[in-house]
Amino acid sequence: MSLQTRLMTAVIGFVSLILVIVAVITSALLGGTLERQLEVRLNGYSLQVTKWVSQVPAQFADIDNVLAERNPGVPGILLAVSSTEGGTSGVVFPDTKGELSGVSQTLTSADLDRINSALGGRASGTVTLDDFGSYLVVVQQAPNGVNVVTGLPRTEIQNQLATLLTVIALATIGGLILLALTTAITIRVGLRPLRAVAATATRVANQPLDRGEVQITERVPASEADPRTETGLVGSSLNKLLDHVNDSLASRQKNEERMRRFVADASHELRTPLSSIRGYSELSLRALKQQGGEAAVESTTTSLERIQAQSLRMTRLVEDLLLLARLDEGRELVYGTVDLTQLALEGLSDARPTAADHHWNIEAPDEPIVIVGDAGRMHQVVANLLANARTHTPAGTSITLSVSREGDEAVVRVHDDGPGIDPGVRDELFARFARGDSSRARQTGGTGLGLAIAKAIVEGHGGHLTVASEPGDTTFTVRLPLSPATASTASAD
């Protein structure tokens, strides 16, 4: 069953049960009250009839002599007397709409036996006579020893209870119909946000999300996504989920595009040395076949030198890609004690001969700044940042390498006063195979992996690599914790 059907069944069922219980209790209480009132009236009539019987000698005490000159005047009353000398006899005064119908009717022996069985030695009881209906009867003994039975019909009580139950039944049926309609409307309105959620989810499910650029625009209407209600909270949660899925799909598409660019760039970088190797190999083979002597040796030697140079270039590219892959997996770092001050001095000493037309400066404290990290990889970070500054700035540029300690962090900065970085490529500056040639003063022959490797190494140490650039002021900043959590974990392992 649907949720609406289950809710309606439960509500109507419980309400019906409550109404039935109320009807039973009400009828029982009313019936008991009417029975007690009838019993009080009956006791009064019984005393009166007993007085009449006591005025008749016991040997003549039959119903005819008792009522010879008396009329009880009570519609429906039942009278019976029993004595040893006079026997047992009785009559019933029929009740027609609360009035005496005329002549009394004599009780048969079967009726008298049934009254006797109903009393069973008790002072009162209820008996049902075939021709007269149900009666409440009481028995008393007159002073002359005659037993007097007096009874009143229970028809009025039964009619009142029947009327009450009929009214309750009709009111219950009408109330249940009204309750069913009200409940159905209330539940339908209350579940409308769920239907809106289902419709939205169905539309989203019918969209192709497995390929291409995908954007989920379907949302549960704001009127059906009120988080203050239970059903509205479902719609609000679905909207949040769809927002997250939409952002994830956009991120996935962006990663796919970045991967395609990465594959294209890697293929381009590898194709160049491979083409050179193939060309020089063919040239060497042709020289060996067509030329002889020293000319062939000289041509072959030159080709082999170019092949070796291109092989080394391709090897460096593959090693850089392998390093990035291992850093992405959290590998390749060997932790130990690293003196950043000494490392900066060595890095600047290595960089100065490669660009004598630049002005090299260093700012470092006298005391060492020691961190826990991979000395070799940190040296690579400094070397890559210095090489980046040297390569992308014109001659005469001042490059300053500084090392300092700020709180619980060690900070390494590489600053230059060159032309700055083009804002159009700044967001992708640390991406793999990213180049800033269009914004720098001269072309580069690098692969575009230097900054990506530096960023991966710094993040592997739990630090951050950022850049701030404007014309005449470009600064790469490396912030490293003095003791990264990854190093502590590695030491514990």
Side-chain angles (χ1 to χ4, degrees):
M1 292 189 297
S2 65
L3 177 59
Q4 180 174 349
T5 304
R6 292 200 302 270
L7 290 174
M8 290 185 60
T9 302
V11 171
I12 295 175
F14 281 125
V15 172
S16 301
L17 178 61
I18 292 173
L19 292 177
V20 169
I21 293 174
V22 170
V24 171
I25 294 175
T26 302
S27 60
L29 292 176
L30 179 60
T33 301
L34 295 176
E35 291 282 355
R36 286 191 295 273
Q37 292 177 352
L38 182 63
E39 187 175 357
V40 171
R41 290 172 52 205
L42 180 59
N43 288 332
Y45 295 145
S46 177
L47 290 175
Q48 183 180 359
V49 174
T50 302
K51 289 180 181 180
W52 295 344
V53 174
S54 64
Q55 297 174 4
V56 179
Q59 62 273 21
F60 302 110
D62 60 12
I63 194 64
D64 292 331
N65 291 330
V66 171
L67 298 177
E69 297 179 359
R70 301 174 181 86
N71 189 334
V74 180
I77 192 171
L78 179 150
L79 299 175
V81 294
S82 176
S83 64
T84 305
E85 296 84 353
T88 303
S89 60
V91 295
V92 172
F93 291 87
D95 180 13
T96 303
K97 297 182 180 180
E99 298 180 356
L100 289 172
S101 61
V103 182
S104 62
Q105 298 183 22
T106 304
L107 294 174
T108 64
S109 58
D111 294 334
L112 294 172
D113 290 340
R114 187 168 294 178
I115 292 172
N116 186 50
S117 299
L119 290 171
R122 299 190 303 273
S124 63
T126 301
V127 63
T128 300
L129 304 178
D130 294 336
D131 296 330
F132 307 107
S134 179
Y135 275 79
L136 176 64
V137 295
V138 295
V139 60
Q140 288 189 1
Q141 190 175 36
N144 57 5
V146 178
N147 292 323
V148 181
V149 176
T150 308
L152 286 177
R154 300 177 63 251
T155 305
E156 183 178 356
I157 296 176
Q158 293 174 340
N159 291 338
Q160 290 184 8
L161 292 178
T163 301
L164 175 65
L165 292 177
T166 300
V167 171
I168 291 177
L170 293 177
T172 299
I173 294 174
L176 290 179
I177 294 175
L178 181 61
L179 176 64
L181 294 175
T182 305
T183 304
I185 294 174
T186 302
I187 293 176
R188 188 170 184 83
V189 172
L191 295 181
R192 186 168 56 190
L194 294 183
R195 290 191 291 271
V197 169
T200 302
T202 301
R203 291 194 298 270
V204 172
N206 292 331
Q207 289 183 326
L209 305 177
D210 57 335
R211 61 188 181 276
E213 185 174 356
V214 179
Q215 186 176 5
I216 302 177
T217 58
E218 297 290 345
R219 294 293 184 275
V220 179
S223 59
E224 309 295 345
D226 187 354
R228 295 174 296 179
T229 63
E230 290 81 357
T231 52
L233 182 60
V234 177
S236 176
S237 300
L238 179 62
N239 284 344
K240 292 180 181 178
L241 175 62
L242 293 178
D243 290 339
H244 175 70
V245 172
N246 192 55
D247 293 341
S248 299
L249 291 174
S251 178
R252 183 212 66 181
Q253 180 65 20
K254 185 176 180 180
N255 289 335
E256 288 182 355
E257 294 176 354
R258 184 177 298 171
M259 182 60 66
R260 283 194 291 268
R261 289 197 305 269
F262 171 78
V263 172
D265 290 339
S267 301
H268 176 76
E269 292 293 337
L270 290 173
R271 183 178 61 182
T272 301
L274 286 174
S275 299
S276 299
I277 292 173
R278 178 180 177 182
Y280 283 112
S281 299
E282 293 176 353
L283 179 61
S284 299
L285 290 174
R286 189 179 301 112
L288 290 174
K289 292 178 180 179
Q290 298 178 357
Q291 301 177 4
E294 294 182 359
V297 172
E298 182 179 355
S299 176
T300 302
T301 301
T302 302
S303 297
L304 290 177
E305 289 176 350
R306 298 303 303 161
I307 290 174
Q308 183 183 24
Q310 295 300 325
S311 299
L312 292 175
R313 177 184 176 186
M314 188 167 57
T315 300
R316 286 193 299 271
L317 175 61
V318 173
E319 288 178 347
D320 288 343
L321 292 175
L322 182 60
L323 173 61
L324 283 172
R326 289 178 175 176
L327 289 173
D328 289 341
E329 295 175 358
R331 300 162 53 190
E332 198 66 23
L333 296 179
V334 179
Y335 288 95
T337 301
V338 181
D339 184 351
L340 288 181
T341 304
Q342 181 65 31
L343 187 145
L345 291 172
E346 294 175 355
L348 193 67
S349 298
D350 293 338
R352 182 177 284 112
T354 61
D357 52 357
H358 285 62
H359 302 291
W360 299 92
N361 304 298
I362 187 168
E363 296 177 358
D366 296 333
E367 66 278 2
I369 298 179
V370 180
I371 67 168
V372 177
D374 189 321
R377 295 306 173 194
M378 287 308 303
H379 188 280
Q380 188 173 5
V381 170
V382 174
N384 286 356
L385 293 178
L386 292 175
N388 178 75
R390 179 198 70 230
T391 305
H392 297 288
T393 55
T397 301
S398 294
I399 300 175
T400 302
L401 174 62
S402 63
V403 181
S404 62
R405 176 173 178 172
E406 297 179 4
D408 295 332
E409 293 181 330
V411 181
V412 178
R413 291 185 176 88
V414 176
H415 172 269
D416 68 73
D417 55 3
I421 302 172
D422 185 357
V425 301
R426 188 177 302 171
D427 293 338
E428 298 293 331
L429 193 61
F430 296 103
R432 297 168 188 185
F433 295 105
R435 293 184 180 88
D437 297 345
S438 59
S439 63
R440 295 293 187 167
R442 64 184 191 181
Q443 299 293 331
T444 97
T447 61
L449 295 176
L451 292 180
I453 291 175
K455 184 176 180 64
I457 294 174
V458 171
E459 291 179 348
H461 283 77
H464 303 282
L465 173 58
T466 59
V467 61
S469 179
E470 60 184 28
D473 185 8
T474 300
T475 303
F476 285 85
T477 303
V478 177
R479 293 185 176 274
L480 297 166
L482 298 180
S483 181
T486 52
S488 302
T489 305
S491 300
D493 295 340

